[in-house]
Amino acid sequence: MKHRIGRVEGEILRELTKILRKDIRDPRLSDVTITAVECTNDLSYATIYYSLLSEDPEKEQEVSEALDKAKGMMRHLLGQVLTVYKVPELIFKRDNSVKYGSKIDRLIAEVRKQDAERNGK
């Protein structure tokens, strides 16, 4: 059963990426990248994780509203291509792993700089 859920998650990820690029005409969603999909065991809900290139809270709010507005159309278009009995309800969540990764990179660079200063003295 887990294998099937993984396949459906992959298919949803691929199809939603296509839908965002080709079918959704909202300019607020131009910088959105879908990073992951997690489905419940009964495939009734799919949590869609997305990332943004911008860290602006205002932009983040606009994207969240645009995704909520486009959710119905995305689900309808998914229903036309998915091979499941019932199309899962879509839940969008911001993926903060990119922001977290850049924070870790900054901290590592800071530590290296401090280490170089200490060794140089």
Side-chain angles (χ1 to χ4, degrees):
M1 184 65 178
K2 293 281 184 199
H3 182 66
R4 178 173 182 254
I5 292 172
R7 282 191 326 226
V8 171
E9 289 171 347
E11 194 173 348
I12 290 173
L13 179 70
R14 265 190 317 280
E15 294 303 327
L16 275 181
T17 302
K18 286 180 195 173
I19 289 169
L20 263 178
R21 268 189 283 133
K22 295 179 180 177
D23 300 318
I24 305 296
R25 304 252 190 271
D26 196 332
R28 298 176 290 183
L29 298 178
S30 61
D31 294 337
V32 174
T33 304
I34 296 178
T35 56
V37 175
E38 286 182 2
C39 291
T40 56
N41 287 337
D42 61 353
L43 297 174
S44 59
Y45 293 95
T47 304
I48 315 299
Y49 294 95
Y50 66 93
S51 67
L52 294 171
L53 298 176
S54 169
E55 295 300 325
D56 182 20
E58 190 175 303
K59 172 81 172 161
E60 189 174 332
Q61 180 65 28
E62 286 178 1
V63 166
S64 177
E65 290 171 4
L67 284 171
D68 280 342
K69 185 178 176 190
K71 187 187 299 189
M73 183 178 183
M74 291 172 137
R75 189 168 181 226
H76 172 74
L77 293 170
L78 264 179
Q80 294 176 346
V81 293
L82 284 184
T83 57
V84 292
Y85 176 70
K86 183 177 181 248
V87 179
E89 189 71 36
L90 304 179
I91 302 165
F92 290 96
K93 289 188 178 179
R94 172 85 191 264
D95 184 2
N96 292 319
S97 62
V98 175
K99 185 173 19 173
Y100 181 73
S102 66
K103 178 183 176 185
I104 295 297
D105 286 343
R106 253 192 338 272
L107 290 172
I108 289 172
E110 207 174 288
V111 168
R112 284 185 178 159
K113 181 180 171 187
Q114 290 172 357
D115 193 37
E117 288 173 358
R118 221 177 298 139
N119 290 338
K121 288 184 178 179

